[in-house]
Amino acid sequence: MVGEKKTGTTTVGIKVKDGVVLAADTQASLDHMVETLNIRKILPITDRIAITTAGSVGDVQALARMLEAEARYYQFTWGRPMTTRAMANLLSNILNENKWFPYMVQILIGGYVDEPELASLDALGGLVFEKYIATGSGSPFAIAILEDGYREDMSVEEAKELAVRAVRTAGKRDVYTGDRKVQVVVITKDGMKEEFVEFKE
């Protein structure tokens, strides 16, 4: 394609019995250039649900605004928060309705409303609920780490360490994924916490 620019990222999600962990690198690249090392690729939608971004930043931001509005409307109408599963199905429908002029995204959605939930969506609305998943240009490297390290009885802290290791490993092998800083969002029954893990080397 004429004028097409190569971009990349790595995002991962892990679901355990006590919560969901989302992690992503913070490097934004365009073709062979690093634009910034400090971009957030995990966006909160509510205080209990977040999405990760791989693909067009503008498309993901537009979708995030749409989901935030839908979540507020749902809360106002029904007096209870929208579940992660319901939001994932809504997002799947939005993406599928636009498949002839698609949002160029690959999204993970994770949350803890009634229980931990993690799902992956492609640009055409394909929806799969998973225990762990990776997206983006570094995902082949990240998924190998997740496959090797995942256990159903993991603690949230162990899942967080595994997610960071998966993103960092991808960053060492995929030139479009940063390996200096990892954004991590942990969602449990107590709410959502964000942190950044930095590496000096």
Side-chain angles (χ1 to χ4, degrees):
M1 183 184 261
V2 176
E4 183 178 350
K5 295 287 189 180
K6 171 72 175 170
T7 63
T9 193
T10 300
T11 74
V12 305
I14 302 174
K15 181 182 85 167
V16 293
K17 64 183 185 300
D18 293 325
V20 172
V21 176
L22 301 173
D25 74 297
T26 62
Q27 174 178 294
S29 57
L30 182 62
D31 205 13
H32 59 277
M33 182 180 75
V34 174
E35 288 196 304
T36 178
L37 297 170
N38 295 298
I39 194 167
R40 278 182 162 85
K41 296 180 182 176
I42 307 171
L43 307 175
I45 302 300
T46 70
D47 62 347
R48 299 286 177 150
I49 301 173
I51 63 173
T52 72
T53 70
S56 166
V57 174
D59 282 357
V60 172
Q61 289 172 340
L63 288 166
R65 288 191 295 270
M66 213 179 299
L67 292 176
E68 285 172 23
E70 292 285 355
R72 282 196 300 271
Y73 180 74
Y74 186 96
Q75 176 82 44
F76 177 78
T77 304
W78 301 104
R80 62 179 186 272
M82 182 183 282
T83 66
T84 313
R85 189 167 283 262
M87 188 173 288
N89 280 292
L90 171 63
L91 181 54
S92 174
N93 290 337
I94 292 169
L95 292 169
N96 188 261
E97 286 168 5
N98 291 279
K99 66 184 173 186
W100 304 117
F101 190 67
Y103 291 98
M104 300 309 295
V105 294
Q106 193 177 15
I107 291 175
L108 299 183
I109 181 166
Y112 194 138
V113 180
D114 298 326
E115 60 183 338
E117 292 280 7
L118 175 68
S120 173
L121 295 105
D122 64 34
L124 301 183
L127 172 62
V128 182
F129 288 90
E130 298 280 9
K131 294 176 182 175
Y132 57 87
I133 191 70
T135 68
S137 57
S139 59
F141 307 106
I143 199 69
I145 299 298
L146 297 178
E147 285 275 4
D148 185 59
Y150 179 81
R151 301 186 330 272
E152 291 209 16
D153 64 348
M154 294 179 86
S155 69
V156 169
E157 192 61 34
E158 288 172 324
K160 187 171 82 171
E161 290 171 8
L162 179 62
V164 170
R165 190 164 82 246
V167 173
R168 184 138 195 257
T169 299
K172 288 180 176 298
R173 291 292 175 181
D174 172 43
V175 296
Y176 299 104
T177 297
D179 69 345
R180 293 191 220 167
K181 188 191 293 187
V182 178
Q183 180 190 9
V184 186
V185 169
V186 176
I187 311 168
T188 67
K189 62 179 173 50
D190 298 320
M192 185 184 303
K193 292 182 181 174
E194 177 192 53
E195 68 176 276
F196 291 88
V197 180
E198 295 196 53
F199 301 95
K200 299 299 180 192
E201 59 201 52

